[in-house]
Amino acid sequence: MDNAISNLTSVKKIVEKIIKERKYKTSLSKKFLEDCLKLYSNSYHILTSSLNKLKMGKFDDASYDLFHAEDAPIFCELKFNGDNQQISPVKKENVLLITIINIPRMLIIQAH
């Protein structure tokens, strides 16, 4: 779980740097990246909540939170799609983040 929080924080910092250094391709990409930052912030709170629930032995609640923590990278990537001709500058990072969030979730499911 700590790895998921750490990875999420890293991806968020990458997006903040892209915005700060104006390395986005279009103003639409900038808006999508700003939306992604909001999603990442929400997922950060969900992940920390999930970790606390896990420490209290509330495995079902922790698993439920982890399921929702995936929303940030998933919905961030959905904003960048072929229809709007935008390419996500953090696609690889988001795919990895989804995987890292899923690992503790699958372990919880397997254990219970």
Side-chain angles (χ1 to χ4, degrees):
M1 186 93 61
D2 288 332
N3 286 339
I5 293 170
S6 176
N7 190 271
L8 175 68
T9 302
S10 294
V11 176
K12 187 174 181 230
K13 286 179 183 178
I14 291 168
V15 171
E16 288 170 340
K17 183 177 180 184
I18 291 169
I19 293 171
K20 182 180 178 185
E21 295 178 1
R22 298 180 181 198
K23 291 190 176 181
Y24 45 85
K25 300 206 186 254
T26 66
S27 59
L28 184 57
S29 288
K30 179 185 178 192
K31 173 164 182 359
F32 290 161
L33 290 169
E34 290 169 342
D35 291 346
C36 290
L37 285 178
K38 292 175 189 170
L39 291 166
Y40 295 140
S41 292
N42 188 44
S43 274
Y44 178 84
H45 294 295
I46 292 170
L47 284 172
T48 55
S49 171
S50 180
L51 181 58
N52 289 333
K53 290 174 183 174
L54 191 59
K55 288 177 181 177
M56 293 186 292
K58 297 181 178 181
F59 301 109
D60 290 338
D61 293 340
S63 179
Y64 179 82
D65 283 353
L66 286 168
F67 177 77
H68 289 288
E70 290 180 316
D71 288 353
I74 290 171
F75 288 116
C76 179
E77 284 307 310
L78 286 175
K79 291 183 173 294
F80 295 90
N81 62 53
D83 294 342
N84 59 32
Q85 299 180 349
Q86 303 299 306
I87 298 170
S88 170
V90 288
K91 182 174 183 131
K92 290 179 191 175
E93 291 85 353
N94 278 328
V95 170
L96 179 61
L97 180 57
I98 292 165
T99 303
I100 290 174
I101 290 171
N102 263 312
I103 292 170
R105 185 167 164 254
M106 290 301 123
L107 292 172
I108 292 168
I109 290 169
Q110 290 296 320
H112 289 83

